[in-house]
Amino acid sequence: MKLLILRLLSQIEKIFFFPHLGNKAVIKFPFKGWNFDLLQVGDSSFIAEGAYFALTRHQTNVDQQPVLKIGKNVAVGSHFFVAALDEVRIEDDVMLSDRVFICDHIHDYQDPNTPIKEQPLLPKGKVKIGRGSFIGINSVIMPGVTIGQQSVVGANSVVTHDVPNYSVVAGNPAQVIKQYNLKKKVWESKRHD
């Protein structure tokens, strides 16, 4: 009986909150946000409790819809926060630790006489996290960043620039500290003097 109730609740969640939720995909309650109809989650993906989905339709272009696409077999830790005005894509087999923040826009601050919270949001570039990558706990992915496939973002990093495929980055701002050499088949340290 308990299993039947859980299955029924899962179907209700999918119908009313997440119409683009893949087969065997789970978004744990509680979650917050708006415009859940714009969220696409692939098969067998898991998003832990406390997720916040801020999917904001453009204030100046009513025809443009934000895109938040999470691929197949993605694992997302608790208290994940994503803010999409333009496009955020997380490819297949990515793992995001707890408290990761991803954003593709900023609050405008050009008018010094208007509180920043009352100024428009400005898209600043699409965000993409490549297949098979890992994002460490408390990391921030800034607008316009592409993280290459099979890359690692160390804990507490702030990623402000693109990350190449097969790389390890860490720090604030994040810098490449290792890269996989495909010819030699080894991870090589990168010096930063």
Side-chain angles (χ1 to χ4, degrees):
M1 183 67 171
K2 185 177 179 181
L3 184 60
L4 181 62
I5 291 171
L6 288 174
R7 285 185 180 159
L8 181 60
L9 288 173
S10 175
Q11 289 303 312
I12 290 171
E13 179 182 77
K14 184 172 183 176
I15 292 167
F16 289 104
F17 289 107
F18 304 108
H20 306 290
L21 191 63
N23 187 36
K24 296 184 181 177
V26 174
I27 300 175
K28 295 272 299 217
F29 188 82
F31 52 83
K32 294 180 183 179
W34 51 86
N35 296 324
F36 296 124
D37 59 309
L38 301 173
L39 172 63
Q40 301 172 45
V41 180
D43 295 345
S44 301
S45 288
F46 175 84
I47 300 172
E49 67 281 347
Y52 197 108
F53 305 99
L55 306 176
T56 303
R57 290 179 167 90
H58 269 264
Q59 298 153 330
T60 56
N61 181 356
V62 293
D63 294 332
Q64 186 166 353
Q65 304 285 345
V67 173
L68 174 54
K69 185 170 184 178
I70 298 173
K72 297 176 184 176
N73 199 37
V74 172
V76 179
S78 67
H79 301 94
F80 168 63
F81 190 125
V82 60
L85 183 67
D86 189 10
E87 183 175 314
V88 174
R89 291 186 184 269
I90 301 170
E91 293 187 340
D92 298 346
D93 301 308
V94 168
M95 182 174 182
L96 304 173
S97 297
D98 295 346
R99 297 181 301 277
V100 169
F101 175 76
I102 302 171
C103 187
D104 68 358
H105 60 277
I106 65 167
H107 284 268
D108 195 2
Y109 52 88
Q110 297 303 312
D111 182 353
N113 298 313
T114 302
I116 293 170
K117 70 178 185 158
E118 294 176 15
Q119 295 189 45
L121 300 173
L122 298 176
K124 286 296 191 175
K126 298 174 182 182
V127 175
K128 178 180 157 189
I129 300 177
R131 179 186 55 78
S133 291
F134 172 82
I135 311 300
I137 194 167
N138 294 324
S139 291
V140 175
I141 312 300
M142 297 297 289
V145 167
T146 295
I147 296 175
Q149 67 182 15
Q150 297 293 123
S151 290
V152 175
V153 174
N156 301 306
S157 294
V158 177
V159 184
T160 59
H161 298 300
D162 290 352
V163 175
N165 293 337
Y166 310 104
S167 297
V168 177
V169 299
N172 179 4
Q175 296 183 22
V176 176
I177 59 172
K178 285 186 178 181
Q179 261 188 310
Y180 189 72
N181 185 319
L182 293 169
K183 290 181 182 176
K184 295 180 182 178
K185 298 188 185 305
V186 296
W187 287 95
E188 298 177 335
S189 293
K190 299 293 177 185
R191 292 184 51 141
H192 295 280
D193 298 326

